[in-house]
Amino acid sequence: MIVDVHTHLPSHRGTVPEDEMLTETTMRSGQTVQLTNSIANYYGDMSPVDKTFIFGIAPRPWRSEEFVTKQAGWEEGLNHNDIASLTAKANPDKTIPFMSLHPLDPNWEDEYDRCVGDLGCKGIKLGPNYQDFDPLSPEAFRMFARLEHDGIPIIFHQGTSPMTEAPLTYAHPLTTEKVAMAFPKLKMVLAHLAHPWQVDCISAVRKHPNMWCDVSAQFYRPYSFWEAMLKFHEWGSTQYILFASDWPVTRPQDNIDALRGLNKFAKDHHLPGIPEDEIEGIINRDALDILGVD
């Protein structure tokens, strides 16, 4: 089974009007990323995988009108959690909605209840840097305590960001490791191998049985990707990597092809290879079973 544990919301429910098409070039270091897309675009790109997790990112309560991801093509009054649920309902056998909350929002527990009880959310996505909250704060720990009690896994954004207002220390794996120590039964995924801190990511996930990481948004920096994967192999830690794409920044098929192309890259550049069974293990790892998502 191929499970994409890291996909974002389509910006539009239906076809994107020509005058609303948006692209950007920062995320992929100069390569173009299509920021506007539809539910049909989403499921077209998800065809190579069996299951997907989908989520938005909750805005900062003091700037609630500023969405972290684009959602201009949806009806007014829907928030990111509604959109995750509605997109999942378009193909409920394939897609599992995750919620996103902000621990400094005074109403987060009400939204938590609505997401789990009404929207069918099975996990949560948090980007402490994007959301500008300290993951070691009392407010965050209060949320983590409830998530641990309820058995709900977290996908944390980890690593760098092009946003100038996103504190990097809030998304560093050595910061997040302190969360793992405080909540040893709280399952969590460190997104993007915590690039460019992949070595720190290895140090965290191999140490804590409740931590994994995902491989999203790596392949378009080929040497960095190969180097990180070789280090995970040498430290005996590729079994802690889950498959992910970071759609729409990249598509699942691009990530599958790049993982299977790692050894060609290594051979072409006279570098050490990575065992094919470990690569296939990443692609086919059953994240639903690992994270307890039914």
Side-chain angles (χ1 to χ4, degrees), residues 20-273:
E20 294 182 25
M21 290 284 189
L22 291 176
T23 60
E24 73 90 56
T25 57
T26 305
M27 295 180 187
R28 291 184 57 167
S29 301
Q31 298 180 46
T32 300
V33 173
Q34 182 70 40
L35 294 178
T36 42
N37 31 64
S38 66
I39 291 180
N41 297 144
Y42 178 83
Y43 283 110
D45 287 341
M46 293 300 125
S47 59
V49 303
D50 299 295
K51 300 284 184 179
T52 72
F53 299 164
I54 190 168
F55 42 71
I57 301 176
R60 292 164 283 187
W62 56 94
R63 290 163 66 173
S64 59
E65 74 287 350
E66 295 182 9
F67 297 108
V68 178
T69 53
K70 305 296 180 186
Q71 53 189 66
W74 289 85
E75 300 93 315
E76 195 171 336
L78 298 177
N79 71 9
H80 54 281
N81 296 321
D82 293 313
I83 295 171
S85 178
L86 288 167
T87 304
K89 285 178 179 177
N91 193 339
D93 291 334
K94 190 180 191 87
T95 301
I96 299 166
F98 274 38
M99 61 186 162
S100 185
L101 307 170
H102 198 296
L104 299 181
D105 182 347
N107 300 313
W108 74 260
E109 290 195 88
D110 290 339
E111 180 67 358
Y112 182 113
D113 291 338
R114 187 179 79 92
C115 288
V116 174
D118 298 339
L119 302 184
C121 296
K122 302 294 186 181
I124 188 169
K125 167 65 185 287
L126 297 174
N129 59 329
Y130 293 121
Q131 297 176 280
D132 196 12
F133 74 84
D134 184 348
L136 304 181
S137 66
E139 295 85 356
F141 269 39
R142 181 182 172 198
M143 181 181 286
F144 299 151
R146 182 168 183 188
L147 293 166
E148 182 183 52
H149 177 270
D150 294 346
I152 292 180
I154 303 178
I155 296 177
F156 278 111
H157 173 84
Q158 295 284 274
T160 189
S161 163
M163 294 175 60
T164 58
E165 296 181 342
L168 293 174
T169 54
Y170 289 177
H172 197 289
L174 298 188
T175 300
T176 311
E177 193 226 358
K178 295 178 182 178
V179 178
M181 295 176 72
F183 300 95
K185 295 181 181 178
L186 176 58
K187 294 182 178 181
M188 58 188 71
V189 178
L190 310 185
H192 315 307
L193 305 184
H195 62 175
W197 306 307
Q198 293 98 332
V199 172
D200 294 326
C201 182
I202 295 169
S203 301
V205 300
R206 69 189 293 270
K207 175 182 175 185
H208 295 284
N210 58 326
M211 293 185 90
W212 290 265
C213 55
D214 81 42
V215 73
S216 62
Q218 298 296 297
F219 72 86
Y220 48 82
R221 298 182 179 98
Y223 182 83
S224 177
F225 180 38
W226 166 83
E227 182 181 33
M229 297 302 294
L230 183 70
K231 286 178 177 176
F232 269 88
H233 162 63
E234 289 184 339
W235 282 86
S237 298
T238 58
Q239 69 267 33
Y240 305 124
I241 302 176
L242 306 180
F243 180 76
S245 67
D246 199 25
W247 188 92
V249 180
T250 74
R251 300 175 302 172
Q253 191 62 56
D254 297 330
N255 290 269
I256 292 169
D257 293 344
L259 281 161
R260 290 175 173 160
L262 274 168
N263 283 323
K264 182 180 185 305
F265 176 86
K267 184 177 180 180
D268 290 348
H269 295 84
H270 308 288
L271 297 168

